[in-house]
């Protein structure tokens, strides 16, 4: 019966608003885990200090004969990988050199292509992708069945067509934002006023298109320049790797001198002439 009675839910205290930047409020169980981990690390460090203090400098073990260390005192351990023969390593490095030369040639061609595109864009010979001439206008083809329908359609378009999008018309017509009202106002205007109004709107539309075209062309130039810089940096990296690989192959063939791992310099003995 004791478990059947509804009990009170004890909620944990949350972090105060002023201390939210410090994260979740630490509870006693969190402190216990943190203190236990701290004390274990402290005991481990104490044991290591005692071993280092009581170490015998004349201590010897037979494992010391098989183990190796580098010049910095770090122990060198075998990873279990099978060692390749000298001829196999030379063949692998030859294949790596061929791959590097192929990638360098590909990168050089791409860089040359991008440079030509940048030069043509700067000189104005070609336009950017998606660019179009400001002076060109779109054409809308309407198919009719007879000449009378064609003449009536031409008359209707001459009376009502402004050949401009609705947003530009709304910007010019401040009294009302409805395109129908704009068309009615144009129908009530004299012929000269309508022609002047149409010309002004066409100029505004042309300037808007030209501004968008310049912005698009600038963005395209920036992307082309960044791509060109990335290709040049990639070519430099590939050239450095190829030079390093050629140096390794030359050292393996004993055709060039150098410095070994111990820091001792050596050179190839040349034949006397």
């Amino acid at each position: 019966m004791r478990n059947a009675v509804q009990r009170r839910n004890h909620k944990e205290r949350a972090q105060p608003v002023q201390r939210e930047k410090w994260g979740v409020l630490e509870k006693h169980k969190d402190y216990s885990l943190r203190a236990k981990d701290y004390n274990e690390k402290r005991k481990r460090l104490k044991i290591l200090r005692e071993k280092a203090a009581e170490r015998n400098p004349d201590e010897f073990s037979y494992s010391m004969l098989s183990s190796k260390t580098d010049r910095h005192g770090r122990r060198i351990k075998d990873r279990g990988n099978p060692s390749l023969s000298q001829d196999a390593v030379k063949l692998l490095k030859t294949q790596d050199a061929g791959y590097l030369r192929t990638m360098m040639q590909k990168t050089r061609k791409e860089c040359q292509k991008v440079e030509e595109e940048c030069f043509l864009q700067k000189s104005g010979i070609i336009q950017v992708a998606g660019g179009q001439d400001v002076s060109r206008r779109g054409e809308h083809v309407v198919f009719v069945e007879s000449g009378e329908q064609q003449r009536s359609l031409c008359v209707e378009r001459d009376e009502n067509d402004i050949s401009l999008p609705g947003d530009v018309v709304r910007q010019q017509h401040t009294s009302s934002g409805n395109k129908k009202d704009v068309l009615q106002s144009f129908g009530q205007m004299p012929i000269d006023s309508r022609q002047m109004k149409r010309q002004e709107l066409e100029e505004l539309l042309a300037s808007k298109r030209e501004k968008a075209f310049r912005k698009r062309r600038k963005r395209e130039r920036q992307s082309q320049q960044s791509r060109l810089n990335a290709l040049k940096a990639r070519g430099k990296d590939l050239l450095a790797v190829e030079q390093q690989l050629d140096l390794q192959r030359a050292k393996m063939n004993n055709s060039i001198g150098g410095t070994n791992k111990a820091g001792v310099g050596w050179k190839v003995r040349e034949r006397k002439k």
Side-chain angles (χ1 to χ4, degrees), residues 6 12 42 51 59-60 63 71 82 93 96 121-122 148 151 198 208 236 242 256 259 266:
Q6 180 66 26
E12 295 182 351
R42 189 177 179 183
K51 286 185 177 181
E59 182 180 0
F60 173 76
S63 61
R71 56 179 178 176
K93 290 187 179 295
D96 293 342
Q121 288 181 8
K122 289 181 180 179
E148 296 180 358
R151 286 191 292 272
R198 185 185 293 111
K208 186 177 180 180
K236 289 182 180 179
E242 186 184 13
I256 189 174
T259 306
W266 61 279

Side-chain angles (χ1 to χ4, degrees), residues 89-210:
V89 174
K90 288 181 180 180
L91 179 60
L92 290 176
K93 290 187 179 295
T94 304
Q95 294 177 355
D96 293 342
Y99 171 76
L100 288 175
R101 284 193 294 268
T102 304
M103 295 304 297
M104 284 184 61
Q105 185 177 4
K106 182 179 178 181
T107 305
R108 194 179 299 111
K109 289 183 178 179
E110 291 182 1
C111 185
Q112 184 178 2
K113 183 178 179 181
V114 175
E115 285 181 351
E116 291 177 356
E117 291 180 358
C118 292
F119 175 76
L120 294 176
Q121 288 181 8
K122 289 181 180 179
S123 59
I125 299 176
I126 62 173
Q127 296 180 355
V128 296
Q132 58 182 357
D133 193 0
V134 180
S135 60
R136 293 186 61 184
R137 299 281 302 277
E139 296 181 356
H140 183 201
V141 181
V142 180
F143 296 94
V144 295
E145 297 180 357
S146 61
E148 296 180 358
Q149 188 176 359
Q150 182 182 5
R151 286 191 292 272
S152 62
L153 182 62
C154 293
V155 172
E156 184 179 355
R157 291 183 61 184
D158 291 339
E159 291 179 354
N160 297 330
D161 188 19
I162 309 177
S163 301
L164 289 173
D167 53 353
V168 180
V169 175
R170 284 195 296 270
Q171 292 177 5
Q172 292 295 320
H173 199 270
T174 56
S175 62
S176 175
N178 194 353
K179 186 175 181 180
K180 184 176 179 181
D181 298 339
V182 176
L183 294 175
Q184 291 178 359
S185 63
F186 268 86
Q188 296 174 2
M189 286 183 181
I191 301 300
D192 297 339
S193 301
R194 289 169 56 188
Q195 293 291 340
M196 292 176 61
K197 194 69 175 178
R198 185 185 293 111
Q199 185 177 2
E200 292 178 0
L201 294 177
E202 288 178 354
E203 291 177 358
L204 285 175
L205 180 60
S207 62
K208 186 177 180 180
R209 288 180 178 174
E210 186 178 0

Side-chain angles (χ1 to χ4, degrees), residues 1-7:
M1 293 297 294
R2 183 181 61 178
N3 294 332
V5 180
Q6 180 66 26
R7 299 178 182 177

